[in-house]
Amino acid sequence: GKDINDFFSQKEKSRVLLEGSGGNLVAPIENPTSVIRQRWEKEAKFMGSAPPSSDDNMYMVTTTGVKFPGIKMNSIATIGTKLILSGDYPEYQATMAMDETKPEGLRPLVWIVNKLTGASKEKSAEDQTTHAFTRVSAEVSNGEVIFK
């Protein structure tokens, strides 16, 4: 278990998991506001994940987006990651604290999309309609490491 714990403990590994295979842009949030931390706590409770602590990391993850003629819709998720080292094997937990959609492209189209979707308004925790929780762990079976 120790070598697997060392592997999971490398901060860069959580970034790799969040990047995925689609080329997501992952940026660490160095000093998350209390509002973002409270959103993470609320989502962790809702999703059944472990609550965040001050040692945990948060990231802004921007997907490659969906393109339409004259406009591209980017999805930006604020995700908190937690490494749990209790038990026989480590586990990463990633909980989405909040998300937003940002249109990019021709100004008149961006304005129309913002008006139609309400994207230009500040959103509260009650507005959150998308929830996500991902768990990645590893175990050793027959001398091989298996990720699950």
Side-chain angles (χ1 to χ4, degrees):
K2 183 183 179 320
D3 291 337
I4 293 174
N5 285 353
D6 291 343
F7 174 82
F8 271 74
S9 295
Q10 297 172 19
K11 188 176 179 179
E12 184 179 306
K13 300 304 184 231
S14 59
R15 279 184 63 117
V16 170
L17 290 171
L18 295 173
E19 284 174 358
S21 62
N24 295 339
L25 299 175
V26 179
I29 301 173
E30 296 301 332
N31 295 307
T33 65
S34 60
V35 171
I36 293 174
R37 284 243 174 229
Q38 289 169 355
R39 295 277 296 268
W40 182 7
E41 288 174 18
K42 183 175 180 174
E43 285 298 308
K45 186 174 183 179
F46 179 78
M47 297 301 295
S49 61
S53 69
S54 59
D55 295 335
D56 297 328
N57 299 302
M58 295 194 82
Y59 297 92
M60 183 94 43
V61 180
T62 304
T63 65
T64 52
V66 178
K67 293 180 184 177
F68 298 100
I71 197 163
K72 178 180 173 186
M73 301 299 290
N74 293 311
S75 177
I76 302 167
T78 302
I79 299 175
T81 61
K82 183 171 196 67
L83 175 60
I84 299 173
L85 294 173
S86 62
D88 292 335
Y89 298 103
E91 175 180 279
Y92 272 130
Q93 293 186 353
T95 305
M96 185 171 67
M98 54 195 285
D99 73 318
E100 61 182 308
T101 303
K102 284 204 172 179
E104 184 180 293
L106 300 174
R107 282 179 46 171
L109 292 177
V110 169
W111 181 83
I112 290 170
V113 168
N114 283 337
K115 288 297 179 188
L116 291 174
T117 64
S120 58
K121 294 187 281 185
E122 183 70 28
K123 293 187 177 154
S124 69
E126 289 72 35
D127 296 328
Q128 184 82 12
T129 58
T130 304
H131 308 278
F133 169 58
T134 302
R135 174 181 284 151
V136 177
S137 61
E139 64 181 43
V140 177
S141 177
N142 297 326
E144 294 182 351
V145 177
I146 299 170
F147 290 92
K148 53 182 188 166

